[in-house]
Every structure is written in structure tokens, then in C-alpha cells.
Amino acid sequence: MKKAFLALGTLLILLVAFSSCKNNTYEAFNTICDTSNAQFTAVINPIITDKCVSCHNSSSLSGGINLVGYANVKDNYEGILSTTRSGKMPPSGSPLDACSITKIQTWVNQGANNN
Ligand code: HEC
């Protein structure tokens, strides 16, 4: 009988520890990755300009793709999301961090507006 209580107690402690740990991770991610202001001019375009336009502009059309300016970025958002998620793009240098990709996804979900 004692053993059964001990096992149950341990299980309960583990459960509580595990669930609080999950909450902390979730809150930490929310704090670090602020997607509340995922607007094109202020947030999205600077990410693309920093990481992509050196190879994707009107005089260097890698893969036939230009990523300069709103219309081009909007036309290519599916490719932007898939290649950054898979890590294919950028092909050299540091990859996009998860928060930047989340911000791009948020902007797309909100309608890929020119805001
Ligand atoms: C160092 C140069 C370079 C940088 C920086 C770069 N690309 Fe590319 N990209 C290429 C080349 C070269 C190709 C064509 C060859 C290929 O498809 O692998 C290409 C192809 C693509 C394609 C079309 C091919 C496909 O697989 O869909 C997309 C979309 C793309 N890039 C998106 C991006 C995005 C988004 C970024 C920034 C996060 C980026 N690229 C940064 C060189 C670059």
C-alpha cells in the first residue's frame, strides 16, 4: 500500500513539473518572439532586405526571383516561407531564426498587406 502511494505521489510531482515546464517554455517564446506588430515596412521588409536581396534583386535574379519591394515579396511569399523553413535559403551565412519566420507567417496570415 505504501509503495502504491509513493508511486502515485511521484507521478503527480512529475506531472506538475512537466506541465509547468511546458507553460514556461510557451511564455518564454511569446515574450521573445513578438509578432504583435508584423507589418511589412517596419518588420518584414527589413528581414528580407537583410537576408535575401543581395542575391534576389533586379540585376541579380537568382532562381528568377526578385525580392525587392512589396509586390515582389507578396508574389513570392510561399517560396520565401518554404525555403527559409527548410533552411535552403539563404544558401550561405546564418539561416533565418525561428522568430523571423514566425513573423513572416503572421504577416501572411493577416493578409500579406502593404502596411
Ligand atoms: C547567396 C545568394 C542567395 C541568398 C542570400 C538568398 N538566395 Fe534564394 N536563391 C539563390 C540561388 C542561387 C537560387 C537558385 C538556385 C536554387 O534554386 O537553388 C535561389 C532560389 C531561391 C528561390 C526559388 C527556388 C526554390 O527553391 O523555391 C526562392 C523562393 C528563394 N531563393 C528565396 C530566398 C529567400 C527567402 C532568401 C532570404 C532568406 C534567399 N533566397 C537568399 C541565392 C540566394
Side-chain angles (χ1 to χ4, degrees), residues 51-52 54-56 62-63 65 67 79-80 83-84 88-92 96:
K51 291 285 188 179
C52 317
S54 59
C55 299
H56 296 286
S62 300
I65 289 181
L67 295 178
I80 292 170
T83 56
T84 52
K88 185 183 176 189
M89 293 288 148
S92 54
L96 246 71

Side-chain angles (χ1 to χ4, degrees), residues 37-102:
N37 192 26
Q39 297 190 329
F40 181 74
T41 306
V43 178
I44 307 306
N45 202 35
I47 297 171
I48 306 291
T49 303
D50 181 38
K51 291 285 188 179
C52 317
V53 302
S54 59
C55 299
H56 296 286
N57 58 71
S58 56
S59 48
S60 170
L61 284 167
S62 300
I65 289 181
N66 184 345
L67 295 178
V68 178
Y70 170 72
N72 289 319
V73 173
K74 187 186 181 198
D75 284 351
N76 289 291
Y77 69 68
E78 282 179 29
I80 292 170
L81 283 171
S82 65
T83 56
T84 52
R85 280 218 177 93
S86 70
K88 185 183 176 189
M89 293 288 148
S92 54
S94 57
L96 246 71
D97 58 287
C99 185
S100 294
I101 298 173
T102 302

